[in-house]
Amino acid sequence: GQQLNQSPQSMFIQEGEDVSMNCTSSSIFNTWLWYKQDPGEGPVLLIALYKAGELTSNGRLTAQFGITRKDSFLNISASIPSDVGIYFCAGPYPTGKLIFGQGTTLQVKP
Amino acid sequence: DTEVTQTPKHLVMGMTNKKSLKCEQHMGHRAMYWYKQKAKKPPELMFVYSYEKLSINESVPSRFSPECPNSSLLNLHLHALQPEDSALYLCASSQEWSNQETQYFGPGTRLLVL
């Protein structure tokens, strides 16, 4: 099916380190969304981006909507153990169907 | 408030059982969705309801039957499921069904088919 290219697939980092992950697409998106999912739970919205070039922060999280509208990145600064989980980027197609990246699994070593 | 609720949290059913999953939102959203998610994979869209009408069916087998009784509720009726249908079933909602709307997810129902 249709997917966004999300990387890296997984990360294992030390507590306190910064994290960066990104998503790219061959198609233009009008909205980029970043979700975090804990095991057995639903995805929780972290940041929503609506404008090309937009840079938005939510606490230690920062995300940017690429100027070409074909990419986005998410940074997490000073990681803590509760940052563990799977992070998904997503964007809605013109039909409204939400397309997801394959996810980045983050593990944080205390 | 951006809460979507789902019941039950967990469900175990046999292949001959009939059960229903329920989803509710009180954000005034007019689009509601059902997704299926396998472990370590992204959610896969099953159905979209817009203004209480079925707008998208992603070629889902008829053993899954969605229903939208009103603008706040979404059900998924299950009948004669297969073991491979075991997954996390997620409900989501958005203000409208468009390419600029943010979707908010519920906590999911973990389904096990024996």
Side-chain angles (χ1 to χ4, degrees), chain A residues 48-59:
Chain A
L49 302 159
Y50 300 107
K51 222 162 70 167
E54 179 182 357
L55 184 72
T56 297
S57 292
N58 178 6

Side-chain angles (χ1 to χ4, degrees), chain A residues 25-42:
Chain A
S25 168
S26 56
S27 305
I28 287 173
F29 284 89
N30 290 324
T31 300
W32 280 92
L33 306 169
W34 284 94
Y35 293 91
K36 182 195 176 202
Q37 188 171 24
D38 292 329
E41 299 291 331

Side-chain angles (χ1 to χ4, degrees), chain B residues 2 6-7 11 15 19 26 29 34 36 49 80 82 87-88:
Chain B
T2 55
Q6 289 186 245
T7 56
L11 180 62
M15 289 189 283
K19 296 286 184 184
H26 293 288
H29 288 177
W34 280 115
K36 174 184 177 181
Y49 272 83
Q82 303 296 310
L88 182 67

Side-chain angles (χ1 to χ4, degrees), chain B residues 23 31 36 38 40-41 47 51-52 59 68 70-72 74 77 81 84 92-93 96-98 100-101 109 111:
Chain B
C23 173
K36 174 184 177 181
K38 291 285 201 178
K40 300 193 186 301
K41 297 289 186 185
F47 302 104
Y51 287 84
E52 300 158 51
S59 303
C68 189
N70 61 56
S71 60
S72 300
L74 187 66
H77 303 297
L81 294 195
E84 59 265 28
S93 72
E96 300 280 342
W97 175 42
S98 79
Q100 299 210 320
E101 293 295 333
T109 293
L111 174 66

